Amino acid sequence: MNIYGEQIPIEMKILSLKNRKYIKDFFCDNISIDDYYRKKAAVDNSSVTYLFINTSDNSTIACVTIACSAIFTDTDEQDVFSTILSAMEIKYFAVDESYKHIPYIKGSNLTLSHYIFSYMLEYMREISHDKIGASKIVLYSVPQAINFYKRCKFKEFGDTMYGDEGYYVKGCLPMYYDLN
């Protein structure tokens, strides 16, 4: 029997010390991301992690960690100042191995992963417009996810855009999504 994403009852929860049980069995096949969710995400005061829970068995389908950020832009003209674009950052987006590649509806190319990610983009758009006023969403894509993010309308940073240079983005491609 094939299962489709639309048949899975999903609830979004914010990860906390009290509900860390939901990530105990989470496995996205990336050791450092799995380690972050198990050991650090619930106490990371610089970000918020959202869990997408299958309420029929309390398994975690996906985790999305977001934070405030900025994109720096530069220009070749000396009389023009650099600008800082307000942004929200998707620090991590991870899907449990058992939920990857599940079609959302029969006969569609849309996957459950894509549905959850699209839902999160819309949720972030609401936060931006109602609460913080960010103009972009930024992320640093691992090489194997670049095409996924491009299908979700993310663009590569331009030649005059600069983002984070921390160790956790090494080997990743900086990308952004316009909220306006």
Side-chain angles (χ1 to χ4, degrees), residues 89-112:
E89 180 179 348
I90 298 175
K91 288 176 71 171
Y92 297 104
F93 172 61
V95 178
D96 187 89
E97 278 295 303
S98 62
Y99 289 98
K100 288 183 180 177
H101 311 294
I102 293 177
Y104 187 69
I105 57 175
K106 187 176 182 175
S108 173
N109 290 334
L110 181 69
T111 62
L112 178 59

PDB file of all heavy atoms in Angstrom, residues 89-112:
ATOM      1  N   GLU A  89      16.906  33.408   8.574  1.00  0.00           N
ATOM      2  CA  GLU A  89      17.746  32.328   8.073  1.00  0.00           C
ATOM      3  C   GLU A  89      17.153  30.964   8.403  1.00  0.00           C
ATOM      4  O   GLU A  89      16.701  30.743   9.520  1.00  0.00           O
ATOM      5  CB  GLU A  89      19.150  32.409   8.681  1.00  0.00           C
ATOM      6  CG  GLU A  89      20.080  31.316   8.193  1.00  0.00           C
ATOM      7  CD  GLU A  89      21.481  31.418   8.769  1.00  0.00           C
ATOM      8  OE1 GLU A  89      21.817  32.450   9.379  1.00  0.00           O
ATOM      9  OE2 GLU A  89      22.238  30.438   8.625  1.00  0.00           O
ATOM     10  N   ILE A  90      17.165  30.080   7.421  1.00  0.00           N
ATOM     11  CA  ILE A  90      16.878  28.676   7.687  1.00  0.00           C
ATOM     12  C   ILE A  90      18.237  28.038   7.946  1.00  0.00           C
ATOM     13  O   ILE A  90      19.029  27.815   7.031  1.00  0.00           O
ATOM     14  CB  ILE A  90      16.152  28.010   6.502  1.00  0.00           C
ATOM     15  CG1 ILE A  90      14.800  28.681   6.257  1.00  0.00           C
ATOM     16  CG2 ILE A  90      15.979  26.501   6.772  1.00  0.00           C
ATOM     17  CD1 ILE A  90      14.059  28.181   5.024  1.00  0.00           C
ATOM     18  N   LYS A  91      18.530  27.816   9.231  1.00  0.00           N
ATOM     19  CA  LYS A  91      19.821  27.242   9.591  1.00  0.00           C
ATOM     20  C   LYS A  91      19.885  25.766   9.201  1.00  0.00           C
ATOM     21  O   LYS A  91      20.925  25.292   8.747  1.00  0.00           O
ATOM     22  CB  LYS A  91      20.086  27.401  11.091  1.00  0.00           C
ATOM     23  CG  LYS A  91      20.388  28.835  11.487  1.00  0.00           C
ATOM     24  CD  LYS A  91      20.558  28.991  12.980  1.00  0.00           C
ATOM     25  CE  LYS A  91      21.838  28.362  13.472  1.00  0.00           C
ATOM     26  NZ  LYS A  91      22.124  28.681  14.880  1.00  0.00           N
ATOM     27  N   TYR A  92      18.779  25.067   9.422  1.00  0.00           N
ATOM     28  CA  TYR A  92      18.712  23.647   9.079  1.00  0.00           C
ATOM     29  C   TYR A  92      17.310  23.292   8.606  1.00  0.00           C
ATOM     30  O   TYR A  92      16.329  23.774   9.172  1.00  0.00           O
ATOM     31  CB  TYR A  92      19.030  22.757  10.290  1.00  0.00           C
ATOM     32  CG  TYR A  92      20.419  22.910  10.847  1.00  0.00           C
ATOM     33  CD1 TYR A  92      20.634  23.628  12.024  1.00  0.00           C
ATOM     34  CD2 TYR A  92      21.520  22.331  10.211  1.00  0.00           C
ATOM     35  CE1 TYR A  92      21.909  23.772  12.549  1.00  0.00           C
ATOM     36  CE2 TYR A  92      22.789  22.473  10.731  1.00  0.00           C
ATOM     37  CZ  TYR A  92      22.977  23.193  11.903  1.00  0.00           C
ATOM     38  OH  TYR A  92      24.250  23.330  12.406  1.00  0.00           O
ATOM     39  N   PHE A  93      17.259  22.473   7.593  1.00  0.00           N
ATOM     40  CA  PHE A  93      16.010  21.830   7.175  1.00  0.00           C
ATOM     41  C   PHE A  93      16.372  20.377   6.964  1.00  0.00           C
ATOM     42  O   PHE A  93      17.205  20.044   6.118  1.00  0.00           O
ATOM     43  CB  PHE A  93      15.454  22.436   5.888  1.00  0.00           C
ATOM     44  CG  PHE A  93      14.274  21.672   5.327  1.00  0.00           C
ATOM     45  CD1 PHE A  93      13.109  21.530   6.073  1.00  0.00           C
ATOM     46  CD2 PHE A  93      14.328  21.084   4.083  1.00  0.00           C
ATOM     47  CE1 PHE A  93      12.025  20.824   5.576  1.00  0.00           C
ATOM     48  CE2 PHE A  93      13.249  20.378   3.569  1.00  0.00           C
ATOM     49  CZ  PHE A  93      12.095  20.249   4.316  1.00  0.00           C
ATOM     50  N   ALA A  94      15.790  19.508   7.762  1.00  0.00           N
ATOM     51  CA  ALA A  94      16.135  18.087   7.690  1.00  0.00           C
ATOM     52  C   ALA A  94      14.866  17.247   7.733  1.00  0.00           C
ATOM     53  O   ALA A  94      13.948  17.537   8.498  1.00  0.00           O
ATOM     54  CB  ALA A  94      17.053  17.710   8.847  1.00  0.00           C
ATOM     55  N   VAL A  95      14.853  16.217   6.912  1.00  0.00           N
ATOM     56  CA  VAL A  95      13.718  15.303   6.835  1.00  0.00           C
ATOM     57  C   VAL A  95      14.196  13.922   7.258  1.00  0.00           C
ATOM     58  O   VAL A  95      15.252  13.454   6.816  1.00  0.00           O
ATOM     59  CB  VAL A  95      13.135  15.261   5.404  1.00  0.00           C
ATOM     60  CG1 VAL A  95      11.985  14.280   5.308  1.00  0.00           C
ATOM     61  CG2 VAL A  95      12.684  16.656   4.975  1.00  0.00           C
ATOM     62  N   ASP A  96      13.413  13.274   8.106  1.00  0.00           N
ATOM     63  CA  ASP A  96      13.747  11.925   8.543  1.00  0.00           C
ATOM     64  C   ASP A  96      13.806  10.985   7.328  1.00  0.00           C
ATOM     65  O   ASP A  96      12.984  11.088   6.415  1.00  0.00           O
ATOM     66  CB  ASP A  96      12.707  11.416   9.547  1.00  0.00           C
ATOM     67  CG  ASP A  96      13.101  10.094  10.167  1.00  0.00           C
ATOM     68  OD1 ASP A  96      13.788  10.119  11.200  1.00  0.00           O
ATOM     69  OD2 ASP A  96      12.734   9.044   9.599  1.00  0.00           O
ATOM     70  N   GLU A  97      14.777  10.093   7.338  1.00  0.00           N
ATOM     71  CA  GLU A  97      14.980   9.164   6.218  1.00  0.00           C
ATOM     72  C   GLU A  97      13.702   8.415   5.830  1.00  0.00           C
ATOM     73  O   GLU A  97      13.450   8.178   4.658  1.00  0.00           O
ATOM     74  CB  GLU A  97      16.066   8.140   6.573  1.00  0.00           C
ATOM     75  CG  GLU A  97      17.466   8.644   6.379  1.00  0.00           C
ATOM     76  CD  GLU A  97      17.780   8.936   4.926  1.00  0.00           C
ATOM     77  OE1 GLU A  97      17.656   8.027   4.072  1.00  0.00           O
ATOM     78  OE2 GLU A  97      18.144  10.088   4.638  1.00  0.00           O
ATOM     79  N   SER A  98      12.896   8.056   6.796  1.00  0.00           N
ATOM     80  CA  SER A  98      11.694   7.268   6.499  1.00  0.00           C
ATOM     81  C   SER A  98      10.605   8.091   5.794  1.00  0.00           C
ATOM     82  O   SER A  98       9.650   7.514   5.278  1.00  0.00           O
ATOM     83  CB  SER A  98      11.142   6.634   7.772  1.00  0.00           C
ATOM     84  OG  SER A  98      10.755   7.615   8.697  1.00  0.00           O
ATOM     85  N   TYR A  99      10.752   9.418   5.766  1.00  0.00           N
ATOM     86  CA  TYR A  99       9.749  10.271   5.123  1.00  0.00           C
ATOM     87  C   TYR A  99      10.242  10.924   3.826  1.00  0.00           C
ATOM     88  O   TYR A  99       9.492  11.633   3.173  1.00  0.00           O
ATOM     89  CB  TYR A  99       9.279  11.365   6.091  1.00  0.00           C
ATOM     90  CG  TYR A  99       8.425  10.836   7.214  1.00  0.00           C
ATOM     91  CD1 TYR A  99       8.969  10.562   8.461  1.00  0.00           C
ATOM     92  CD2 TYR A  99       7.073  10.600   7.026  1.00  0.00           C
ATOM     93  CE1 TYR A  99       8.183  10.074   9.496  1.00  0.00           C
ATOM     94  CE2 TYR A  99       6.283  10.117   8.049  1.00  0.00           C
ATOM     95  CZ  TYR A  99       6.840   9.859   9.284  1.00  0.00           C
ATOM     96  OH  TYR A  99       6.059   9.376  10.310  1.00  0.00           O
ATOM     97  N   LYS A 100      11.489  10.686   3.482  1.00  0.00           N
ATOM     98  CA  LYS A 100      12.026  11.289   2.256  1.00  0.00           C
ATOM     99  C   LYS A 100      11.392  10.637   1.034  1.00  0.00           C
ATOM    100  O   LYS A 100      11.097   9.449   1.025  1.00  0.00           O
ATOM    101  CB  LYS A 100      13.548  11.129   2.192  1.00  0.00           C
ATOM    102  CG  LYS A 100      14.269  12.023   3.174  1.00  0.00           C
ATOM    103  CD  LYS A 100      15.764  11.910   3.041  1.00  0.00           C
ATOM    104  CE  LYS A 100      16.444  12.825   4.046  1.00  0.00           C
ATOM    105  NZ  LYS A 100      17.889  12.700   4.012  1.00  0.00           N
ATOM    106  N   HIS A 101      11.167  11.436   0.021  1.00  0.00           N
ATOM    107  CA  HIS A 101      10.672  10.979  -1.289  1.00  0.00           C
ATOM    108  C   HIS A 101       9.225  10.474  -1.269  1.00  0.00           C
ATOM    109  O   HIS A 101       8.804   9.801  -2.202  1.00  0.00           O
ATOM    110  CB  HIS A 101      11.605   9.928  -1.903  1.00  0.00           C
ATOM    111  CG  HIS A 101      13.036  10.340  -1.880  1.00  0.00           C
ATOM    112  ND1 HIS A 101      13.517  11.399  -2.609  1.00  0.00           N
ATOM    113  CD2 HIS A 101      14.096   9.854  -1.183  1.00  0.00           C
ATOM    114  CE1 HIS A 101      14.815  11.540  -2.373  1.00  0.00           C
ATOM    115  NE2 HIS A 101      15.191  10.633  -1.514  1.00  0.00           N
ATOM    116  N   ILE A 102       8.471  10.769  -0.229  1.00  0.00           N
ATOM    117  CA  ILE A 102       7.057  10.384  -0.201  1.00  0.00           C
ATOM    118  C   ILE A 102       6.274  11.415  -1.006  1.00  0.00           C
ATOM    119  O   ILE A 102       6.344  12.617  -0.727  1.00  0.00           O
ATOM    120  CB  ILE A 102       6.517  10.322   1.244  1.00  0.00           C
ATOM    121  CG1 ILE A 102       7.180   9.180   2.013  1.00  0.00           C
ATOM    122  CG2 ILE A 102       5.000  10.178   1.257  1.00  0.00           C
ATOM    123  CD1 ILE A 102       6.749   9.091   3.472  1.00  0.00           C
ATOM    124  N   PRO A 103       5.534  10.981  -2.034  1.00  0.00           N
ATOM    125  CA  PRO A 103       4.721  11.943  -2.783  1.00  0.00           C
ATOM    126  C   PRO A 103       3.655  12.546  -1.871  1.00  0.00           C
ATOM    127  O   PRO A 103       3.118  11.866  -1.002  1.00  0.00           O
ATOM    128  CB  PRO A 103       4.077  11.118  -3.894  1.00  0.00           C
ATOM    129  CG  PRO A 103       4.574   9.735  -3.750  1.00  0.00           C
ATOM    130  CD  PRO A 103       5.381   9.623  -2.509  1.00  0.00           C
ATOM    131  N   TYR A 104       3.358  13.841  -2.090  1.00  0.00           N
ATOM    132  CA  TYR A 104       2.346  14.457  -1.257  1.00  0.00           C
ATOM    133  C   TYR A 104       0.949  14.007  -1.668  1.00  0.00           C
ATOM    134  O   TYR A 104       0.122  13.698  -0.820  1.00  0.00           O
ATOM    135  CB  TYR A 104       2.446  15.989  -1.271  1.00  0.00           C
ATOM    136  CG  TYR A 104       1.508  16.592  -0.275  1.00  0.00           C
ATOM    137  CD1 TYR A 104       1.730  16.433   1.085  1.00  0.00           C
ATOM    138  CD2 TYR A 104       0.358  17.252  -0.679  1.00  0.00           C
ATOM    139  CE1 TYR A 104       0.848  16.935   2.020  1.00  0.00           C
ATOM    140  CE2 TYR A 104      -0.531  17.765   0.250  1.00  0.00           C
ATOM    141  CZ  TYR A 104      -0.283  17.598   1.591  1.00  0.00           C
ATOM    142  OH  TYR A 104      -1.170  18.075   2.515  1.00  0.00           O
ATOM    143  N   ILE A 105       0.674  13.987  -2.961  1.00  0.00           N
ATOM    144  CA  ILE A 105      -0.590  13.459  -3.468  1.00  0.00           C
ATOM    145  C   ILE A 105      -0.308  12.534  -4.642  1.00  0.00           C
ATOM    146  O   ILE A 105       0.713  12.655  -5.318  1.00  0.00           O
ATOM    147  CB  ILE A 105      -1.587  14.583  -3.890  1.00  0.00           C
ATOM    148  CG1 ILE A 105      -0.969  15.503  -4.936  1.00  0.00           C
ATOM    149  CG2 ILE A 105      -2.063  15.375  -2.710  1.00  0.00           C
ATOM    150  CD1 ILE A 105      -1.928  16.541  -5.482  1.00  0.00           C
ATOM    151  N   LYS A 106      -1.201  11.629  -4.894  1.00  0.00           N
ATOM    152  CA  LYS A 106      -1.034  10.657  -5.977  1.00  0.00           C
ATOM    153  C   LYS A 106      -0.925  11.380  -7.326  1.00  0.00           C
ATOM    154  O   LYS A 106      -1.683  12.289  -7.624  1.00  0.00           O
ATOM    155  CB  LYS A 106      -2.225   9.686  -6.001  1.00  0.00           C
ATOM    156  CG  LYS A 106      -2.054   8.566  -6.983  1.00  0.00           C
ATOM    157  CD  LYS A 106      -3.212   7.593  -6.890  1.00  0.00           C
ATOM    158  CE  LYS A 106      -2.988   6.438  -7.864  1.00  0.00           C
ATOM    159  NZ  LYS A 106      -4.000   5.412  -7.730  1.00  0.00           N
ATOM    160  N   GLY A 107       0.070  10.975  -8.100  1.00  0.00           N
ATOM    161  CA  GLY A 107       0.245  11.512  -9.447  1.00  0.00           C
ATOM    162  C   GLY A 107       0.939  12.862  -9.517  1.00  0.00           C
ATOM    163  O   GLY A 107       1.007  13.471 -10.583  1.00  0.00           O
ATOM    164  N   SER A 108       1.478  13.339  -8.409  1.00  0.00           N
ATOM    165  CA  SER A 108       2.142  14.643  -8.386  1.00  0.00           C
ATOM    166  C   SER A 108       3.630  14.472  -8.137  1.00  0.00           C
ATOM    167  O   SER A 108       4.055  13.515  -7.485  1.00  0.00           O
ATOM    168  CB  SER A 108       1.541  15.509  -7.283  1.00  0.00           C
ATOM    169  OG  SER A 108       2.272  16.703  -7.135  1.00  0.00           O
ATOM    170  N   ASN A 109       4.404  15.412  -8.631  1.00  0.00           N
ATOM    171  CA  ASN A 109       5.843  15.431  -8.341  1.00  0.00           C
ATOM    172  C   ASN A 109       6.142  16.093  -7.004  1.00  0.00           C
ATOM    173  O   ASN A 109       7.263  16.048  -6.528  1.00  0.00           O
ATOM    174  CB  ASN A 109       6.603  16.167  -9.452  1.00  0.00           C
ATOM    175  CG  ASN A 109       6.622  15.376 -10.737  1.00  0.00           C
ATOM    176  OD1 ASN A 109       6.529  14.153 -10.734  1.00  0.00           O
ATOM    177  ND2 ASN A 109       6.738  16.082 -11.849  1.00  0.00           N
ATOM    178  N   LEU A 110       5.146  16.725  -6.419  1.00  0.00           N
ATOM    179  CA  LEU A 110       5.306  17.382  -5.134  1.00  0.00           C
ATOM    180  C   LEU A 110       5.481  16.329  -4.046  1.00  0.00           C
ATOM    181  O   LEU A 110       4.673  15.412  -3.915  1.00  0.00           O
ATOM    182  CB  LEU A 110       4.077  18.247  -4.829  1.00  0.00           C
ATOM    183  CG  LEU A 110       4.083  19.029  -3.522  1.00  0.00           C
ATOM    184  CD1 LEU A 110       5.114  20.149  -3.576  1.00  0.00           C
ATOM    185  CD2 LEU A 110       2.705  19.604  -3.253  1.00  0.00           C
ATOM    186  N   THR A 111       6.550  16.462  -3.257  1.00  0.00           N
ATOM    187  CA  THR A 111       6.800  15.512  -2.176  1.00  0.00           C
ATOM    188  C   THR A 111       6.347  16.087  -0.833  1.00  0.00           C
ATOM    189  O   THR A 111       6.111  17.296  -0.711  1.00  0.00           O
ATOM    190  CB  THR A 111       8.301  15.168  -2.072  1.00  0.00           C
ATOM    191  OG1 THR A 111       9.016  16.375  -1.756  1.00  0.00           O
ATOM    192  CG2 THR A 111       8.828  14.551  -3.363  1.00  0.00           C
ATOM    193  N   LEU A 112       6.265  15.228   0.151  1.00  0.00           N
ATOM    194  CA  LEU A 112       5.954  15.661   1.510  1.00  0.00           C
ATOM    195  C   LEU A 112       6.994  16.666   1.980  1.00  0.00           C
ATOM    196  O   LEU A 112       6.659  17.673   2.612  1.00  0.00           O
ATOM    197  CB  LEU A 112       5.888  14.458   2.451  1.00  0.00           C
ATOM    198  CG  LEU A 112       5.630  14.737   3.919  1.00  0.00           C
ATOM    199  CD1 LEU A 112       4.307  15.458   4.124  1.00  0.00           C
ATOM    200  CD2 LEU A 112       5.653  13.434   4.715  1.00  0.00           C
TER     201      LEU A 112
END
